[in-house]
Amino acid sequence: MNAEEVERIVTEILERSLKDSQRKELSLDFPVEVSARHVHLTQEAVEQLFGCGARLTPKRNLSQPGQYLAEERVSLVTDSGRIEKVAVLGPPRPATQVELSATDCRNLHIHAPVRLSGDLEGAGNVYIMGPKGMIFAPQSVIIAQAHIHITPQEAKAAGIEDKQVVAVTIQGKRKLTFENVICRVSSQASLAMHIDSDEANACLLQPGSFARMQVLGRNSIKKDKRTQERPYIIFSDKLITDAVAREIVGRGVGCLKVDGHVIITPSAKDTLKQAGMEIEICGGR
């Protein structure tokens, strides 16, 4: 092992330690639920698949208010295969959406992005078959981004905001921390984290499992009204290492606002620069 390798290993250990020390664990436990493969259909699609005038038949309510599992089932079909008896969730939505795991997409040879529900830009294509018909659903397939549903009151108490990115640790036989989990704040929410079947298997999720989130220091995603609602991150801890910079870049915003006392390491500056991140100093040096 030469000097460069030793320096690289030491740097990685220090950055990991600093990153962990800058994280703040919130005293908020919440249940973890598996969101297995399912589809959301428009009313038009419901009638095409199940017959003219058809309506979804609620089977049982889901944890999120107003949503339910329907009695109806569909098949998903591609040139590479099919998946039978896929759940349908109601009520109908403005756009048809199919949520699969990465394993499902690989088996069906569907190129699907990781997205939050409702964001179908670049989504994959699939045929949906019902007992009365079949439809082609272009740009409908996504791999759901792990997310937490939380009410405004709970979010305020925890000090987090809508669309904030957090890390979540799930306890159990295979303790696992998920990065890049999105907080979805809504008055219609019921506190719960949703992960797909691949993620549940990775941590050997057990029924009734709970988790706890960590936030990176004291930073949040906000929007700058002076620049056409441009999203930005405020970071007010002491040090931004390359590991922290990569996490910031992963949040998909274009501007980083830091207090004047914050130190940004050279490698972190390079990472931010390569990502096209604008850095704005707020007071101090």
Side-chain angles (χ1 to χ4, degrees), residues 40 93 95-99 112-124 138-145 163 182 184:
H40 300 277
R93 290 191 175 186
T96 291
Q97 177 175 293
V98 180
E99 297 183 36
V114 178
R115 292 278 191 275
L116 283 177
S117 179
D119 182 1
L120 299 179
E121 181 179 356
Q139 293 191 320
S140 64
V141 184
I142 63 171
I143 300 169
Q145 174 84 42
K163 299 297 192 298
I182 310 297
R184 307 201 71 174

Side-chain angles (χ1 to χ4, degrees), residues 217-228:
R218 292 168 289 163
N219 67 82
S220 58
I221 298 178
K222 297 181 178 294
K223 291 191 174 181
D224 192 342
K225 295 182 179 180
R226 298 170 300 175
T227 54
Q228 291 74 49

Side-chain angles (χ1 to χ4, degrees), residues 25-251:
E25 185 176 84
L26 303 180
S27 57
L28 176 67
D29 292 323
F30 44 89
V32 183
E33 301 174 346
V34 182
S35 183
R37 69 174 75 104
H38 62 270
V39 303
H40 300 277
L41 300 171
T42 64
Q43 180 55 38
E44 180 183 9
V46 170
E47 297 193 40
Q48 290 173 324
L49 296 170
F50 301 104
C52 183
R55 296 290 185 271
L56 293 179
T57 308
K59 181 177 182 178
R60 63 175 174 83
N61 292 329
L62 301 178
S63 63
Q64 297 308 303
Q67 299 185 34
Y68 59 84
L69 172 67
E71 295 279 1
E72 290 76 14
R73 293 291 186 272
V74 296
S75 297
L76 303 178
V77 182
T78 69
D79 292 338
S80 300
R82 63 190 291 159
I83 299 177
E84 306 278 358
K85 298 181 180 180
V86 177
V88 178
L89 303 189
R93 290 191 175 186
T96 291
Q97 177 175 293
V98 180
E99 297 183 36
L100 300 177
S101 69
T103 299
D104 290 333
C105 291
R106 191 174 299 113
N107 291 338
L108 293 178
H109 289 186
I110 298 175
H111 297 287
V114 178
R115 292 278 191 275
L116 283 177
S117 179
D119 182 1
L120 299 179
E121 181 179 356
N125 307 326
V126 72
Y127 285 93
I128 304 177
M129 180 181 293
K132 299 293 185 179
M134 182 174 183
I135 63 172
F136 178 58
Q139 293 191 320
S140 64
V141 184
I142 63 171
I143 300 169
Q145 174 84 42
H147 56 279
I148 300 169
H149 293 284
I150 185 170
T151 66
Q153 294 81 5
E154 291 164 332
K156 183 177 180 180
I160 59 176
E161 302 177 349
D162 187 38
K163 299 297 192 298
Q164 185 165 344
V165 182
V166 298
V168 174
T169 299
I170 298 177
Q171 304 291 337
K173 292 182 179 179
R174 184 181 287 173
K175 182 178 178 181
L176 189 61
T177 297
F178 289 93
E179 305 282 348
N180 300 321
V181 179
I182 310 297
C183 294
R184 307 201 71 174
V185 181
S186 170
S187 58
Q188 303 301 312
S190 177
L191 183 62
M193 178 182 182
H194 284 173
I195 58 178
D196 68 21
S197 54
D198 283 353
E199 294 165 323
N201 288 335
C203 64
L204 297 178
L205 188 73
Q206 300 296 311
S209 293
F210 280 77
R212 182 167 287 195
M213 74 175 75
Q214 303 99 39
V215 294
L216 180 63
R218 292 168 289 163
N219 67 82
S220 58
I221 298 178
K222 297 181 178 294
K223 291 191 174 181
D224 192 342
K225 295 182 179 180
R226 298 170 300 175
T227 54
Q228 291 74 49
E229 298 296 314
R230 179 188 61 182
Y232 63 87
I233 287 179
I234 294 179
F235 189 94
S236 54
D237 277 313
K238 297 180 180 180
L239 177 67
I240 297 179
T241 65
D242 186 52
V244 174
R246 288 196 297 269
E247 183 163 335
I248 291 171
V249 168
R251 301 190 182 191

